[in-house]
Amino acid sequence: MNIAEYHQKIEQVWQHIEEQLDKQGSGVDCEIQGAVMTLTFDDDSQIIINKQEAMLELWLASKLGGFHFAYREDTWLSSEGRSFWLHLEEAFIRHGETVSFSE
């Protein structure tokens, strides 16, 4: 994957997150600044999703900890082979919200 494709894939992730939050009526505030998406919950806790362009990775930080994902097999996977979307859903639950990001 080249840099342009990488950025396109990340933009698709961010768009899907925003669409699902809107579609499911979530009260989570979503803000994108540069290479960082910040999801802020009612209790002011946050999930941070950011681009790591140098490694062509997507990083996720939440109350569950920090995780790195690479684009393999047509999806974002951790080094353990777990889906970004599954991690994100689990992070939302830990932050007190239930949102489905299944594609």
Side-chain angles (χ1 to χ4, degrees):
M1 168 174 20
N2 65 38
I3 297 295
E5 291 169 329
Y6 167 77
H7 286 288
Q8 182 180 30
K9 300 269 184 226
I10 298 290
E11 292 300 321
Q12 290 169 351
V13 166
W14 288 355
Q15 181 179 2
H16 183 69
I17 291 169
E18 289 178 318
E19 287 172 355
Q20 291 306 310
L21 292 176
D22 287 344
K23 181 179 175 182
Q24 296 177 47
S26 173
V28 175
D29 182 52
C30 181
E31 182 180 351
I32 299 172
Q33 288 188 339
V36 179
M37 172 182 265
T38 303
L39 303 169
T40 305
F41 294 79
D42 289 339
D43 65 357
D44 291 327
S45 65
Q46 296 180 327
I47 293 175
I48 307 295
I49 303 167
N50 63 302
K51 299 178 185 181
Q52 289 298 316
E53 183 180 293
M55 295 185 281
L56 299 179
E57 289 185 345
L58 177 63
W59 289 10
L60 168 66
S62 73
K63 288 181 177 180
L64 294 177
F67 301 92
H68 302 188
F69 301 88
Y71 197 79
R72 301 187 316 265
E73 302 171 29
D74 294 323
T75 193
W76 292 96
L77 297 172
S78 69
S79 59
E80 296 83 23
R82 294 193 73 220
S83 162
F84 167 79
W85 299 111
L86 179 59
H87 274 281
L88 186 59
E89 287 176 359
E90 291 172 352
F92 264 74
I93 290 168
R94 177 79 164 130
H95 285 263
E97 289 267 338
T98 301
V99 177
S100 174
F101 294 101
S102 299
E103 293 190 294

